[in-house]
């Protein structure tokens, strides 16, 4: 959990250049609310979802115990993982799963050895090379604010902005300066003031608080974006990229979302996954994805991408051999296009060759490859258009979504806690407005020109915008975590 005061103190203290309007604050808050959500995750052949009570649902392949039910039977509909609670976010790797809990600790399960391709080993971080069919603790993981699963490696972001990694490291994807795989978390040198992480097949990305991006690992197709095809075992800067708010890593390509709502891509482009922004099969520096604006969140599959618009629509592009673009065909597409028949989406996730979307009502839709039941709709048939996930009885499956009225009350509790704890920033006497419009609960403090905010659409997060952030919205993580601190 991030400490509000210490985090703000790390930010360069720049003067407040101009008074921000309420409308701008709303755009900024809604523009970042989905990027950190982590309530829905898709891997190679599995998907996971976090319910409102902190439990986790899983469906898909079970070759290495990733369903956690004591069998090797695949699951075609969502099943709850026994013994896993107080979870706030999940991430799915090639054949392993990771969960971050409210207390900042981590749980892991699934593949922990090499698979049939000879890759893997140690990605569960429990100090062994033993596959696990039930969740185990990641050793030494405390104070974690984000956890990410690559195909065969894992990454964790600490509350102080540092990064740790573990698992398979043949291409330097752990970023520790070696090619030695690790069974427990190890520090990534040179990765500091980090705000978000992403993991691909054999490379890693880190978003810094200043809006620039670092990368390390395999680079044969330019997926590190440093202008070369040289593998890197320690972080290097992605060339020419700034004002980034979210990142995602495909198998051999990378994408980034900028503050202005545009999307940028680099790396492998054989299937059109860079979005018609370049004629080259290998693109070693970022280029803009054509035709996208007003984007609030992104996700990358092996060779396809998803983008979520501020209007709740989903855009797709890239490889489509299994129908993972959801446009009714299996034809690759080099230009991003909106997905028909799906609206009010709050979060997206991309698996190897399938896609998932969570709507504001809690429904989960899937499309693409389904041979292991990874779409969770009760079948093993691929589909080229979105279909809802269904429970074992055939009824539409839905996550529990908190009511907006309850979220407003919870937001006010956290705001009041911040006022009590840090009156120098949030003196109640200087409060000028307390609004709940356009899906955001806001409180403005005229004395310091500061805003606190909580989004009431999608997974609720706690935000700050003010003079200490120089006009940048800072995401302090899930509201549920701050409610624990705000409790009497």
């Amino acid at each position: 959990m991030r400490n509000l005061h210490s985090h703000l103190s790390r930010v360069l203290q720049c003067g407040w250049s101009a008074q921000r309007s309420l409308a701008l604050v709303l755009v900024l808050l809604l523009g970042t609310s989905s990027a950190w959500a982590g309530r829905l995750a898709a891997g190679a052949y599995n998907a996971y979802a976090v319910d409102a009570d902190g439990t986790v649902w899983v469906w898909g392949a079970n070759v290495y115990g990733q369903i956690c039910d004591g069998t090797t039977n695949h699951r075609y509909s969502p099943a709850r993982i026994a013994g896993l609670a107080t979870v706030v976010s999940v991430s799915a790797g090639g054949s392993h799963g990771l969960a971050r809990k409210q207390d900042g600790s981590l749980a892991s399960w699934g593949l922990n050895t090499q698979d049939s391709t000879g890759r893997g080993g140690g990605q569960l971080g429990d100090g062994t090379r033993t596959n696990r069919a039930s969740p185990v603790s990641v050793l030494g993981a405390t104070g974690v604010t984000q956890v990410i699963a690559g195909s065969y490696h894992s990454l964790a972001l600490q509350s102080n902005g540092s990064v740790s990694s573990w698992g398979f490291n043949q291409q330097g994807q752990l970023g520790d300066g070696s090619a030695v795989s690790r069974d427990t978390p190890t520090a990534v040198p040179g990765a500091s003031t980090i705000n978000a992480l992403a993991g691909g097949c054999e490379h890693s990305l880190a978003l810094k608080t200043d809006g620039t991006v670092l990368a390390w690992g395999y680079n044969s197709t330019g997926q590190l974006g440093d202008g070369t095809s040289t593998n890197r075992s320690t972080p290097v800067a992605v060339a020419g990229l700034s004002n980034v708010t979210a990142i995602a890593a495909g198998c051999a390509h990378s994408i980034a979302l900028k503050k202005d709502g545009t999307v940028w891509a680099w790396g492998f482009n054989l299937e059109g996954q860079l979005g018609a922004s370049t004629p080259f099969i290998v693109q070693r520096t970022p280029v803009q994805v054509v035709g996208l604006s007003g984007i609030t969140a992104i996700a990358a599959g092996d060779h396809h991408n998803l983008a979520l618009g501020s209007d709740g629509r989903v855009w797709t592009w890239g490889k489509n051999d299994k129908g993972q673009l959801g446009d009714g065909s299996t034809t690759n597409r080099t230009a991003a296009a909106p997905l028909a028949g799906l609206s009010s989406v709050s979060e997206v996730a991309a698996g190897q060759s399938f896609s998932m979307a969570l709507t504001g009502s809690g429904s989960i839709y899937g499309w693409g490859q389904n041979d292991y039941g990874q779409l969770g709709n009760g079948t093993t048939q691929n589909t080229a258009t979105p279909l809802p996930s269904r429970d074992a009885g055939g009824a539409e499956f839905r996550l529990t979504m908190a009511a907006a009225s309850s979220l407003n009350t919870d937001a006010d509790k956290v705001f009041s806690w911040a006022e009590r704890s840090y009156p120098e920033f949030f003196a109640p006497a200087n409060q000028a407005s307390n609004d709940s419009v356009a899906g955001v609960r806001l409180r403005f403090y005229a004395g310091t020109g500061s805003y606190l905010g909580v989004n009431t659409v999608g997974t609720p997060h706690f935000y700050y915008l003010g003079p200490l952030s120089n006009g940048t919205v800072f995401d302090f993580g899930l509201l549920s975590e701050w409610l624990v601190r705000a409790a009497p």
Side-chain angles (χ1 to χ4, degrees):
M1 187 188 311
R2 295 171 186 249
N3 179 279
L4 182 62
H5 186 273
S6 64
H7 185 76
L8 291 177
S9 298
R10 291 201 308 271
V11 182
L12 291 176
Q13 298 203 18
C14 302
W16 189 240
S17 57
Q19 182 71 20
R20 295 303 200 252
S21 69
L22 180 63
L24 176 59
V25 177
L26 289 171
V27 170
L28 288 171
L29 285 174
L30 287 173
T32 53
S33 63
S34 296
W36 276 74
R39 195 168 180 183
L40 184 66
Y45 304 103
N46 286 96
Y48 301 98
V50 181
D51 219 329
D53 61 0
T55 58
V56 176
W57 297 86
V58 60
W59 55 96
N62 197 25
V63 176
Y64 300 105
Q66 50 270 59
I67 298 296
C68 297
D69 65 353
T71 77
T72 55
N73 299 325
H74 309 316
R75 289 277 187 170
Y76 309 128
S77 295
R80 204 185 300 265
I81 295 179
L84 191 58
T86 67
V87 171
V88 293
S89 65
V90 287
S91 187
S95 296
H96 74 291
L98 299 170
R100 182 173 66 92
K101 296 188 175 184
Q102 287 181 1
D103 62 2
S105 64
L106 300 177
S108 59
W109 59 93
L111 179 69
N112 199 31
T113 59
Q114 290 186 345
D115 66 6
S116 59
T117 69
R119 293 177 292 176
Q123 56 263 47
L124 300 191
D126 67 344
T128 77
R129 296 289 177 93
T130 303
N131 297 342
R132 303 291 187 178
S134 59
V136 295
S137 296
V138 176
L139 296 180
T142 60
V144 175
T145 59
Q146 187 191 25
V147 65
I148 291 293
S151 289
Y152 299 95
H153 71 292
S154 304
L155 304 164
L157 175 61
Q158 309 298 134
S159 57
N160 63 2
S162 64
V163 177
S164 59
S165 60
W166 60 98
F168 192 55
N169 195 29
Q170 187 178 59
Q171 306 297 341
Q173 57 263 49
L174 298 190
D176 65 353
S178 79
V180 178
S181 297
R182 309 285 184 179
D183 300 337
T184 57
T186 185
V188 178
S192 60
T193 64
I194 302 302
N195 202 36
L197 300 169
C201 280
E202 295 178 296
H203 76 291
S204 305
L205 304 175
L207 171 61
K208 294 177 68 69
T209 56
D210 65 1
T212 60
V213 178
L214 301 177
W216 59 93
Y218 199 39
N219 197 28
S220 65
T221 58
Q223 56 263 54
L224 301 190
D226 66 346
T228 79
S229 294
T230 303
N231 295 353
R232 308 289 186 178
S233 62
T234 56
V236 296
V238 175
L241 202 57
S242 60
N243 297 316
V244 174
T245 60
I247 49 177
C251 189
H253 75 286
S254 306
I255 59 174
L257 171 64
K258 287 194 173 186
K259 182 190 283 189
D260 63 3
T262 61
V263 178
W264 296 67
W266 60 98
F268 196 46
N269 194 37
L270 183 63
E271 316 288 350
Q273 54 265 58
L274 303 192
S277 50
T278 174
F280 302 114
I281 294 176
V282 172
Q283 175 65 41
R284 296 182 176 88
T285 55
V287 289
Q288 186 173 350
V289 176
V290 175
L292 287 179
S293 61
I295 299 303
T296 64
I298 53 176
D302 266 18
H303 304 291
H304 76 289
N305 304 298
L306 310 176
L308 177 60
S310 57
D311 58 359
R313 291 193 302 167
V314 178
W315 296 68
T316 64
W317 68 99
K319 190 173 183 177
N320 197 29
D321 61 328
K322 306 295 183 181
Q324 57 263 52
L325 299 189
D327 64 356
S329 79
T330 55
T331 302
N332 295 352
R333 193 170 59 239
T334 60
L339 193 59
L342 191 60
S343 60
S344 302
V345 173
S346 62
E347 188 172 345
V348 290
Q352 179 173 288
S353 299
F354 70 103
S355 305
M356 307 295 296
L358 172 65
T359 70
S361 66
S363 296
I364 297 175
Y365 285 81
W367 57 97
Q369 187 177 18
N370 196 33
D371 49 350
Y372 290 96
Q374 54 265 54
L375 301 186
N377 61 20
T379 77
T380 57
Q381 296 176 345
N382 296 353
T383 176
T385 55
L387 293 177
S389 297
R390 298 192 176 277
D391 64 24
E396 184 175 331
F397 173 79
R398 291 191 179 190
L399 295 179
T400 301
M401 309 296 278
S405 58
S406 173
L407 285 176
N408 287 334
T409 300
D410 290 344
D412 288 342
K413 288 180 182 177
V414 174
F415 296 161
S416 296
W417 167 83
E419 292 166 359
R420 296 192 306 270
S421 303
Y422 307 108
E424 65 270 33
F425 295 116
F426 313 115
N430 293 326
Q431 179 184 325
S433 64
N434 189 17
D435 302 294
S436 183
V437 290
V440 179
R441 184 70 166 180
L442 282 174
R443 192 169 289 187
F444 173 61
Y445 301 89
T448 57
S450 299
Y451 291 86
L452 294 176
V454 170
N455 58 292
T456 57
V457 176
T459 305
H461 281 232
F462 183 34
Y463 297 94
Y464 167 82
L465 175 68
L468 293 180
S469 67
N470 196 27
T472 300
V473 172
F474 278 88
D475 180 349
F476 292 112
L478 290 162
L479 178 66
S480 58
E481 297 184 3
W482 290 95
L483 279 170
V484 174
R485 175 166 291 195

